[in-house]
Amino acid sequence: MSSGAANAVDTLCLAEADKTACIAGTLRTEADVVPDVTLTITGPGGFSEEVTTGETGKWNVQVTEPGAYVVKIDEDSLPDDVVTDHPEVTINVGRLGATQAATLDVRTGSYSAESSKFDELVQSTVNGLRLGLLLALASVGLSLIYGTTGLSNFAHAEQVTLGGILGYYLINRGGLSLIVGGILVVVICAFTGWFQDRVLWQPLRRRGLGLTQLMIVTIGLSLALQYCYQYFVGARTVRVVQDNPEVSTFGPITITNQSIVAMAISVVVLAAVGYALLRTRIGRATRAVSDNPALAAASGIDTDKVIRLVWTVAMALAGLSGLLYALVTNGIKWDTGLQILLLLFAAVTLGGLGTAFGALLGALIIGLVVEISPVLGMPGDFKYATALLILILLLLVRPQGLLGKPQRVG
């Protein structure tokens, strides 16, 4: 049995692979953080420990066994103007080597349940926009590849994983700054896109392989990359930055500064891609190849160069998405790409196959649906299924997607 004295926890808890895990959180009302509140954490093997929230409302505890842990607020330690409707929460620590976030429900006494529900919806909307922008970075590249080659790249999500893992090794392990390491991640991922098309996809296209055969190759490449990630990283979850992020509050919205920066970067990069597609010569050539490759080639456009550039840019965008994903979420691991693959395809299909702007719109919708559906009563475990259900319903009404062009079959 473990028991610790109550003490302010405003320091960093680092989880060690196969040794320890961390449970952490920030106690916050709709108005401000709540310091000096005692929490009791109980779990397997008679584990019991008390911690006190620090000046920033943060707390954490380190555990050595996987299992279900109950985090309970000592209501007597709450300030007079703060109450809780749900004083305890159960956190499942599935494995060691990761940090599990625990969210405890506290509010000011004058704060009504109706306004709390509304603020929860606003918070989920912001989280959905963040997820949608991160998905958009990857799905735009996936859509461009499909538009110029007709190939559904099942290995595309592994590039997202690659971006996060490279960020971990260059920034956390290599000691590079976030800016320098991030630029290197994007450059390396861009090179992998160029390299893939140069040594794999272009030769296969010239040999006349059909799209079905090429798609099977992408599935094999996806599996190979997953095993490589397992070999180098193992099963643990890694984050790009290990320190506790700073949090900003805007009315009912609570968001980390890292998330704000990540969203701003996503908007700028997506705007730059949109401008390049609409206003530059290479962008117009890309759209021409996407619309009609044979006609584009007949008009003097080097389709191979355009396709190689698309692969390069698409992999760079996916790598940037993975880096930001590992920065602002609970981390990234070897199968993260596999988990978000269906969301990427759903975004591309929802917006319209082969249309970059459709992929952007589809990604934003998917991100919002995933984050908002639990607030509207959908069980949290079904939030991804909700997004896919909406995709199916829309395709029944509009098979070409939101921005896709209707095509005649037969």
Side-chain angles (χ1 to χ4, degrees):
M1 179 173 179
S2 173
S3 178
N7 61 326
V9 179
D10 212 7
T11 57
L12 180 64
C13 176
L14 295 179
E16 298 183 48
D18 302 323
K19 293 183 180 179
T20 62
C22 295
I23 303 174
T26 301
L27 196 64
R28 172 186 294 276
T29 67
E30 74 284 355
D32 202 357
V33 298
V34 187
D36 301 324
V37 175
T38 302
L39 308 176
T40 303
I41 300 94
T42 56
F47 180 91
S48 178
E49 187 162 344
E50 285 187 350
V51 296
T52 301
T53 57
E55 291 299 320
T56 59
K58 295 177 182 177
W59 62 272
N60 60 63
V61 65
Q62 192 173 73
V63 300
T64 58
E65 295 183 36
Y69 289 82
V70 177
V71 183
K72 186 174 182 179
I73 299 174
D74 181 358
E75 297 185 59
D76 292 335
S77 65
L78 288 172
D80 294 337
D81 62 337
V82 176
V83 298
T84 176
D85 299 317
H86 305 284
E88 65 179 56
V89 64
T90 301
I91 303 298
N92 290 309
V93 177
R95 55 185 175 76
L96 302 179
T99 297
Q100 297 290 333
T103 302
L104 291 158
D105 180 23
V106 293
R107 59 183 176 85
T108 56
S110 59
Y111 198 62
S112 67
E114 289 77 13
S115 60
S116 178
K117 193 70 174 180
F118 172 77
D119 287 354
E120 188 178 352
L121 180 62
V122 173
Q123 178 69 60
S124 297
T125 300
V126 173
N127 293 341
L129 287 174
R130 181 186 67 180
L131 176 61
L133 287 171
L134 296 182
L135 291 176
L137 286 174
S139 60
V140 165
L142 180 62
S143 185
L144 287 173
I145 291 174
Y146 180 86
T148 53
T149 66
L151 175 63
S152 297
N153 181 19
F154 280 81
H156 192 78
E158 310 316 323
Q159 291 290 143
V160 177
T161 307
L162 178 63
I165 291 177
L166 282 175
Y168 169 73
Y169 275 106
L170 292 176
I171 298 170
N172 285 47
R173 301 287 294 274
L176 298 179
S177 68
L178 187 59
I179 296 176
V180 174
I183 293 173
L184 278 178
V185 167
V186 174
V187 170
I188 293 172
C189 288
F191 173 76
T192 63
W194 180 92
F195 185 78
Q196 280 186 52
D197 186 67
R198 182 68 181 85
V199 304
L200 182 61
W201 305 119
Q202 185 186 50
L204 291 179
R205 287 196 305 270
R206 290 182 174 177
R207 288 180 177 272
L209 262 70
L211 291 177
T212 301
Q213 295 166 298
L214 290 173
M215 184 179 67
I216 293 173
V217 173
T218 69
I219 295 173
L221 179 60
S222 173
L223 294 173
L225 289 173
Q226 289 176 28
Y227 286 123
C228 287
Y229 299 152
Q230 280 187 290
Y231 177 80
F232 287 106
V233 181
R236 73 183 190 275
T237 300
V238 297
R239 290 191 65 219
V240 170
V241 177
Q242 292 287 348
D243 56 339
N244 290 324
E246 296 295 325
V247 177
S248 296
T249 302
F250 307 95
I253 300 171
T254 301
I255 188 170
T256 64
N257 293 343
Q258 291 176 344
S259 294
I260 296 173
V261 173
M263 293 171 71
I265 292 174
S266 299
V267 170
V268 171
V269 171
L270 290 169
V273 172
Y275 178 84
L277 287 173
L278 293 175
R279 300 295 184 181
T280 66
R281 183 178 179 182
I282 190 65
R284 289 190 290 269
T286 301
R287 289 188 288 124
V289 173
S290 179
D291 290 338
N292 192 322
L295 182 60
S299 63
I301 296 175
D302 190 334
T303 57
D304 280 337
K305 286 186 177 180
V306 170
I307 291 173
R308 186 162 302 157
L309 177 63
V310 166
W311 274 96
T312 303
V313 173
M315 297 302 108
L317 291 175
L320 177 61
S321 175
L323 174 66
L324 297 178
Y325 191 90
L327 181 66
V328 304
T329 66
N330 288 330
I332 202 164
K333 57 180 182 177
W334 68 273
D335 63 345
T336 297
L338 180 64
Q339 294 173 6
I340 68 171
L341 177 63
L342 285 180
L343 295 182
L344 294 180
F345 275 113
V348 171
T349 308
L350 181 65
L353 290 172
T355 62
F357 295 105
L360 169 59
L361 179 60
L364 291 175
I365 293 174
I366 292 296
L368 288 170
V369 170
V370 166
E371 293 294 341
I372 291 177
S373 56
V375 181
L376 301 179
M378 180 65 65
D381 294 339
F382 289 93
K383 60 183 182 180
Y384 294 135
T386 305
L388 299 177
L389 177 62
I390 289 179
L391 168 66
I392 294 171
L393 294 176
L394 177 71
L395 293 181
L396 289 174
V397 179
R398 188 176 173 84
Q400 70 270 27
L402 292 173
L403 300 184
K405 297 178 181 179
Q407 297 181 357
R408 182 177 177 181
V409 179

